[in-house]
Amino acid sequence: MRKLSKSKQQASGGLDLIPAESCAIPADGQACSIMPAVLADEPAGSVEKDLSRRRFLGMFGAVAGATAVLGTGVELLSYRAYAQGLPKTNNWTGNSGMTGSGAADMASTQAPPTHQWAMVIDLSMCNGCGSCTAACQKAHYLTPDQTWMKVFELTDTTGQTYHLPRPCMQCENPPCLHVCPVHATFRQEQGVVLVNQDRCIGCRMCMAACPYEARYFNWNSDVKYPPIPVEATPEFPVPQRLGTVGKCTFCVGNLNHGLLSECAAGCQMGAIYNGDLKTDVAVNSAGTTVKLSKFLDDNNAVTFKPEQNTHPRVWYILGHGQNLNADASTAKS
Amino acid sequence: MKETDINESALLNENGQRDAEQAWAADVRRAAIRPTIGRASVAWKLSVTVLGLVVLAGLGAWIYQFKRGLGAAGYNDQAFWAVYIVDVVTFIGVSYGGAVISAILRLTGQSWRAPLTRLAEGTALVTVLIGALFIFPHLGRPERFWEIPIYVNTSSPLFWDFMAISTYVLATVIFFYLPLVPDMAIVNKTLGRADRPARFRIYKALSLKWMGNERQRRLLHSVLTLISLIIIPLAVSVHSVLSWAFATTSRPGWMESVFPPYFVIAALYSGTALVIVVASAFRKGYRLERFITKRHFVRLGYIMAALGLVYAYLTIADLLSEGYTGITSGWIRQTIAGRYAIPFWFYVVFGEVLPIALVAVKKTRNIKGMTVASVGVVIALWVKRIVIVLPPVTQPLIGGFWGTYHFTWVSITITVAGVAAIPFGLMLLFRFLPVLSIDEMEEMGELGSVEQVSKETLAVQKQAPAYAYANGNGHVNGNGVGMPEKEVQL
Amino acid sequence: MKSLSRWLIAAVATIGSVLVVSGTAVAAAGQSSAVLDLAVQTVSANGVNLALSAQAGSGASGQSVTFFVQTQEFSSHGWMALGTSVTNSAGEATYTYTPTWTGTELFGAALGSSDAVATPSVTKSFQVLKDPPGVPQSVIEYSRPLGTEGGIFVKSILSVLALVWILLLGSLVLVVWRMPRLTRASVDTSQSGRN
């Protein structure tokens, strides 16, 4: 009640915006659905902090601060910090959503799930060096054939070779998610499609459904992982489970710490931009910050295989003479 | 097998004599029951042991694969579906043939079916169980199979596969059991209580106090008609849903509207072929020459050839439209003239040309010819399914190179174990249950079951029941070996 | 209750109470020497569109002014060019911007086109306390094929399936239950009354 009276005092400052009304407006409905989830169970008096963007970066306190200092150079540490900051039951139990204490934990420790992660790949900048693949494989302890980020060598309409880095497209209409019989594949709040390897039954229907060949199976038990002090999560599935499927996670743990994904950070050419549809920002490893929508617009960015109706969250900026869709069917065999 | 195992008195009529019909009934009972209550022959024991060892080897290979991962079976990211999904489709497919053949012939009142129904339904039962079990080696995490009915995703084709296959297994079990009820009573009548008390009790329970009276017959008949009516659309749906596991993906070569009928016909085709193979094997091994005759094989051969032609038509329909436009024809090129050409043309030769030729040419239209044709079809359709599954899986969707699937000893052992499990399961099954549908065969009579079928023939034959093999004293000529096989012009 | 109070608190400090802080700075070298003055001025009726205006001095008409916002998503905290507009006769350039995030937004402006300048010469902060509409805020859900558990199609298929199970199991139960009770030979016997 103390809070209520306080807010009433402040509300007397000539304000016409009240939450009930804004929630009634359909356009605002989405905002309303998020804000209460963030604010619901938090301690009183921290509103302004909560609403700060900076707070978001510092959400895990000192650990995250250390991460920020170390910058993109840290690998395992950021994941550790990330995993330690997460409640045990974060919302990756598939379709079931948050329940019980998990929901409370989440509300009190996690930032608003309002980022909508995306990626832009500037093909004219890509020289096919494969450092994105190498960085990804190193960070996730992948076997050499598990190329979550794979660089394809294709031929454009002028007969020139060009390179196509292919992460998971994080489709907004993901076929892999539709066909999973046990909801092991799910889409978290930030639009990233993840795999719950503790539920996956290994039927590989998702591999059949993915038009981008973006999914990789854990075929063999003889993969050696170093001792990793945190539990595997869908965001950072290391060590991976035998007999389940894995794929690019967009390094969503990195992104939520203000770090670039491993592939973007590893790209010396600055061809890979991590972006956020919500704040309309994209950044590459060179520190170039662009307005995402304008960047995509100005450069005629395209998505890969739009005819599949998957609505990818990864956009490509084409160089001269390149045509993703024509090339896809004339792959060399 | 000793003659004394069978209670001879049970085979006689009220007058203590054998008339022609009684003699037929006696022979049927003798042939059907002896393998179950007689002593097991050395050949039977040997076969079951060998087959059992093969099945055990398959189980061992599966445990090895479970520990090592699916990589041990030759799988990789560019061949993520391969031999086990082919086995699932093949085994459930052949099962479908047995069940539908039996159901259709039952519904259309084909009396010649009588000696075949038990074998066909038994084959359906055994193969559907094997096919369903092959889902486990297919999965990377078989121990989590229970999640499918728990975390239901109705969008997933696999959920509907699960529903369809489980329903079909239930229907097959019921469809196998119900016609068995009268036979259980007959077997029990033959089997003395003292000989095998445990078995006697089981048979008695299963026979449901069957007396063979009018009302019981009417009940059984109507229920069987209902289940026959259910099992046909059910079997169609099972194979359609299986095909949609492929056709609902966007892979060129799988996303085909022709797939459901394509799979259904393939299942019927291979299923009919397997019924012929099983009938041929059990005819020899269980001395059923007198009951399952050339006519049965030729008729089944006709059905098989017709299905084979439809299947050839669907294969062409599948390949032509995409191959013509060339939009996504990489997999077609590889199928016809590339890396999958050998299995594809193997199918064309042994799955279409050879069997249809063997049926078409009068000289080979006999038991041996039909058996050879059927063996060809069963193997060739397994190969054909490899050709259906692998090219779309291994094709590059974005760029790069074709993937390859290498058979390993693990996948070969498990598949061979599945094949061996068919005769293994059937031999065990018919060690406890009569291999012929005694009641139906008695009901149809010899003429209906074997000689058939035109009413004129029936009438003529009834007037002069000259049975060369049953003499006036009611003595039956041995085991039915050396019977002059009635050659019936078709 | 909690969330309501929070909303009210949020509302208090919200868009109505616009801070108009003046800041001045000399434009970057190589550009016009006019003094640029950035203001975050107006708030549209629904409270989300911000009018940024930059005053380049009364004589500086027809000059390009690029507006920036500092990004917070990644640790580089880069200055993101929002757009460029041209000063009017009064030397004022305006740019309407829809904030994308609640919290403190740091805006900036510089003389010159966005190709020419990468960092602002003047900056000003502004608090946005309400999520603006019109940008994706939660996961866009496409309907799954056959996925709407309440869908009539899925429901009808499941009903048919249930019917099949009932028929199959019913047949079995019927036979098992009824058959032993039909041991009398004829329907016409007195027993028929029991049916």
Side-chain angles (χ1 to χ4, degrees):
Chain A
M1 286 320 287
R2 185 186 63 80
K3 276 177 294 166
L4 186 63
S5 56
K6 181 185 167 193
S7 58
K8 271 180 181 164
Q9 280 172 7
Q10 293 184 1
S12 61
L15 185 55
D16 59 344
L17 188 69
I18 61 164
E21 277 176 17
S22 62
C23 277
I25 302 166
D28 285 351
Q30 289 178 316
C32 292
S33 69
I34 290 162
M35 293 299 283
V38 179
L39 298 171
D41 294 313
E42 291 194 23
S46 60
V47 177
E48 285 174 14
K49 257 165 69 192
D50 291 341
L51 294 172
S52 149
R53 262 203 244 175
R54 287 176 195 282
R55 161 113 171 87
F56 177 66
L57 284 179
M59 63 186 169
F60 299 135
V63 192
T67 329
V69 170
L70 290 170
T72 54
V74 293
E75 290 166 23
L76 200 54
L77 180 61
S78 64
Y79 294 123
R80 278 183 199 155
Y82 177 64
Q84 280 166 7
L86 281 182
K88 273 278 186 287
T89 49
N90 63 1
N91 188 19
W92 49 269
T93 49
N95 61 332
S96 59
M98 291 180 289
T99 49
S101 60
D105 283 357
M106 180 132 174
S108 59
T109 57
Q110 239 193 0
T114 42
H115 286 291
Q116 294 297 313
W117 301 119
M119 187 180 277
V120 187
I121 299 174
D122 189 345
L123 294 187
S124 60
M125 301 285 280
C126 177
N127 65 352
C129 68
S131 54
C132 50
T133 309
C136 174
Q137 290 189 326
K138 183 160 176 261
H140 297 103
Y141 302 95
L142 300 177
T143 59
D145 55 332
Q146 287 177 323
T147 47
W148 286 1
M149 180 67 165
K150 183 172 180 179
V151 182
F152 287 90
E153 193 178 305
L154 301 172
T155 311
D156 67 18
T157 43
T158 61
Q160 300 287 305
T161 299
Y162 74 99
H163 297 93
L164 178 85
R166 190 261 12 234
C168 170
M169 297 290 153
Q170 310 297 349
C171 308
E172 289 178 350
N173 189 19
C176 55
L177 186 148
H178 298 329
V179 300
C180 178
V182 294
H183 294 285
T185 293
F186 64 98
R187 206 163 161 241
Q188 46 92 290
E189 299 88 337
Q190 296 167 327
V192 177
V193 179
L194 296 172
V195 181
N196 181 352
Q197 291 194 336
D198 289 328
R199 181 179 290 181
C200 174
I201 61 169
C203 68
R204 311 187 289 294
M205 188 77 214
C206 50
M207 298 178 77
C210 178
Y212 306 104
E213 295 180 337
R215 285 179 165 255
Y216 293 86
F217 203 73
N218 294 296
W219 299 110
N220 291 306
S221 62
D222 51 11
V223 183
K224 293 275 177 288
Y225 290 98
I228 294 165
V230 295
E231 262 185 73
T233 61
E235 291 86 350
F236 186 59
V238 178
Q240 292 196 67
R241 306 264 193 268
L242 175 70
T244 64
V245 80
K247 72 168 194 59
C248 160
T249 61
F250 241 34
C251 292
V252 63
N254 281 20
L255 299 182
N256 280 333
H257 276 78
L259 304 176
L260 294 179
S261 65
E262 298 294 338
C263 52
C267 179
Q268 280 116 32
M269 308 299 291
I272 303 173
Y273 291 76
N274 286 125
D276 179 13
L277 293 173
K278 170 73 172 64
T279 53
D280 207 11
V281 175
V283 179
N284 69 359
S285 62
T288 312
T289 306
V290 293
K291 191 177 182 194
L292 180 58
S293 57
K294 190 167 174 291
F295 188 58
L296 296 176
D297 226 32
D298 292 348
N299 293 290
N300 289 321
V302 296
T303 55
F304 193 18
K305 299 192 180 186
E307 75 280 3
Q308 299 277 353
N309 196 32
T310 51
H311 301 276
R313 281 263 178 106
V314 176
W315 280 268
Y316 288 95
I317 292 172
L318 303 176
H320 175 68
Q322 290 157 5
N323 181 346
L324 285 185
N325 304 312
D327 290 329
S329 60
T330 55
K332 52 182 142 175
S333 54
Chain B
M1 293 182 215
K2 283 195 296 179
E3 292 285 313
T4 49
D5 284 348
I6 290 183
N7 184 355
E8 284 290 335
S9 64
L11 301 177
L12 302 178
N13 65 10
E14 303 86 43
N15 307 326
Q17 278 183 337
R18 290 166 181 261
D19 56 17
E21 259 176 54
Q22 285 291 326
W24 162 255
D27 292 347
V28 170
R29 287 177 190 204
R30 190 189 300 274
I33 296 171
R34 187 182 292 114
T36 66
I37 61 177
R39 254 185 232 129
S41 68
V42 176
W44 187 90
K45 282 179 185 160
L46 195 68
S47 320
V48 166
T49 311
V50 170
L51 292 169
L53 285 175
V54 176
V55 172
L56 269 181
L59 280 176
W62 179 63
I63 291 168
Y64 176 81
Q65 178 194 302
F66 182 72
K67 288 205 169 135
R68 292 294 308 274
L70 272 166
Y75 282 74
N76 57 69
D77 288 312
Q78 273 200 295
F80 54 83
W81 276 3
V83 61
Y84 297 133
I85 193 86
V86 168
D87 292 339
V88 170
V89 172
T90 303
F91 280 105
I92 293 181
V94 291
S95 139
Y96 174 26
V100 169
I101 288 288
S102 174
I104 289 179
L105 297 181
R106 188 182 293 278
L107 282 176
T108 52
Q110 298 291 317
S111 54
W112 60 272
R113 75 172 196 274
L116 290 175
T117 46
R118 179 63 39 76
L119 276 175
E121 286 155 17
T123 309
L125 179 72
V126 169
T127 49
V128 78
L129 291 177
I130 299 169
L133 285 178
F134 258 101
I135 292 170
F136 289 101
H138 174 68
L139 293 180
R141 283 280 184 170
E143 79 276 18
R144 295 181 186 164
F145 183 77
W146 56 271
E147 290 178 353
I148 295 178
I150 304 298
Y151 304 116
V152 171
N153 179 8
T154 55
S155 303
S156 174
L158 290 191
F159 167 73
W160 296 105
D161 272 343
F162 173 81
M163 299 303 280
I165 292 174
S166 54
T167 312
Y168 181 61
V169 168
L170 175 76
T172 311
V173 170
I174 294 175
F175 196 58
F176 181 77
Y177 168 59
L178 288 184
L180 204 64
V181 169
D183 287 7
M184 290 288 86
I186 292 168
V187 176
N188 229 15
K189 220 161 87 184
T190 314
L191 178 78
R193 180 192 286 271
D195 297 342
R196 302 269 184 86
R199 267 213 209 185
F200 183 86
R201 243 174 281 133
I202 294 170
Y203 288 149
K204 194 178 173 198
L206 288 175
S207 71
L208 304 175
K209 291 189 184 166
W210 174 266
M211 314 279 288
N213 65 41
E214 185 66 16
R215 298 168 73 200
Q216 286 186 327
R217 278 193 191 282
R218 210 177 298 156
L219 175 68
L220 189 66
H221 181 75
S222 47
V223 167
L224 275 176
T225 306
L226 175 72
I227 292 180
S228 299
L229 279 173
I230 291 175
I231 210 164
I232 294 169
L234 192 60
V236 171
S237 74
V238 169
H239 246 67
S240 301
V241 174
L242 265 182
S243 81
W244 280 320
F246 300 91
T248 52
T249 69
S250 60
R251 273 176 187 264
W254 281 355
M255 198 178 63
E256 311 274 351
S257 53
V258 79
F259 254 41
Y262 199 26
F263 272 54
V264 169
I265 295 297
L268 270 179
Y269 185 31
S270 58
T272 314
L274 188 71
V275 169
I276 295 177
V277 175
V278 168
S280 176
F282 275 79
R283 179 176 181 271
K284 270 267 151 56
Y286 281 62
R287 310 262 163 116
L288 306 175
E289 287 94 340
R290 202 184 135 198
F291 310 103
I292 303 174
T293 63
K294 179 184 165 190
R295 171 165 286 236
H296 292 107
F297 284 89
V298 172
R299 277 173 185 251
L300 286 176
Y302 282 156
I303 296 174
M304 184 176 79
L307 289 165
L309 287 171
V310 178
Y311 190 62
Y313 160 65
L314 289 172
T315 303
I316 293 164
D318 178 36
L319 295 177
L320 185 68
S321 54
E322 268 194 70
Y324 186 91
T325 58
I327 294 172
T328 51
S329 57
W331 67 274
I332 296 180
R333 245 194 333 271
Q334 295 293 339
T335 299
I336 292 174
R339 54 183 58 221
Y340 298 103
I342 292 171
F344 178 75
W345 292 104
F346 178 90
Y347 147 74
V348 171
V349 173
F350 293 97
E352 294 287 358
V353 176
L354 181 75
I356 289 170
L358 285 172
V359 176
V361 177
K362 197 170 175 188
K363 210 175 166 193
T364 55
R365 205 186 296 147
N366 52 32
I367 296 176
K368 207 171 262 173
M370 293 303 100
T371 308
V372 169
S374 311
V375 171
V377 169
V378 170
I379 295 171
L381 259 82
W382 183 82
V383 171
K384 176 70 195 303
R385 281 156 178 141
I386 286 274
V387 178
I388 288 177
V389 168
L390 277 186
V393 166
T394 53
Q395 69 184 331
L397 289 181
I398 296 174
F401 301 94
W402 280 72
T404 40
Y405 176 76
H406 296 289
F407 283 92
T408 65
W409 70 268
V410 174
S411 56
I412 291 171
T413 309
I414 294 179
T415 303
V416 168
V419 175
I422 300 178
F424 180 70
L426 283 173
M427 288 175 86
L428 284 182
L429 191 68
F430 294 130
R431 182 71 195 136
F432 295 94
L433 303 171
V435 69
L436 295 173
S437 188
I438 305 168
D439 185 61
E440 272 182 65
M441 285 179 71
E442 287 181 359
E443 206 181 339
M444 305 302 170
E446 181 171 19
L447 299 176
S449 302
V450 181
E451 308 296 346
Q452 35 191 308
V453 111
S454 82
K455 280 194 173 153
E456 296 81 38
T457 327
L458 210 70
V460 171
Q461 296 265 6
K462 265 208 165 164
Q463 281 169 7
Y467 296 109
Y469 35 81
N471 63 30
N473 302 330
H475 264 289
V476 176
N477 188 353
N479 298 325
V481 190
M483 290 291 152
E485 195 172 279
K486 270 252 168 174
E487 293 290 331
V488 182
Q489 287 295 330
L490 282 157
Chain C
M1 204 53 171
K2 261 185 185 172
S3 64
L4 177 67
S5 63
R6 224 146 278 256
W7 268 104
L8 289 173
I9 296 166
V12 168
T14 198
I15 302 169
S17 57
V18 180
L19 291 167
V20 183
V21 183
S22 296
T24 54
V26 180
Q31 301 296 323
S32 159
S33 60
V35 173
L36 193 65
D37 181 17
L38 176 68
V40 183
Q41 274 189 336
T42 56
V43 176
S44 70
N46 65 6
V48 290
N49 287 331
L50 287 178
L52 304 172
S53 71
Q55 179 58 257
S58 55
S61 69
Q63 289 200 44
S64 296
V65 175
T66 301
F67 292 88
F68 294 90
V69 67
Q70 191 178 44
T71 59
Q72 312 279 339
E73 285 65 46
F74 300 99
S75 47
S76 55
H77 293 257
W79 282 102
M80 181 173 92
L82 296 172
T84 305
S85 63
V86 179
T87 52
N88 59 15
S89 57
E92 190 186 45
T94 56
Y95 183 83
T96 306
Y97 172 65
T98 307
T100 56
W101 197 265
T102 53
T104 307
E105 300 260 18
L106 190 59
F107 294 101
L111 282 171
S113 69
S114 58
D115 298 334
V117 289
T119 49
S121 55
V122 291
T123 60
K124 189 170 300 297
S125 67
F126 176 77
Q127 261 206 339
V128 179
L129 291 177
K130 180 178 170 297
D131 261 346
V135 286
Q137 299 187 352
S138 59
V139 175
I140 302 161
E141 289 287 352
Y142 288 83
S143 64
R144 290 180 293 137
L146 299 181
T148 42
E149 270 81 5
I152 187 76
F153 187 61
V154 170
K155 263 187 181 170
S156 48
I157 299 176
L158 287 174
S159 313
V160 170
L161 208 59
L163 183 71
V164 168
W165 275 77
I166 290 168
L167 281 176
L168 287 174
L169 289 174
S171 312
L172 187 65
V173 169
L174 179 74
V175 169
V176 170
W177 179 79
R178 193 85 188 108
M179 196 65 82
R181 288 167 180 75
L182 291 176
T183 45
R184 296 276 180 83
S186 170
V187 193
D188 310 346
T189 56
S190 58
Q191 195 202 29
S192 63
R194 238 180 56 192
N195 300 339

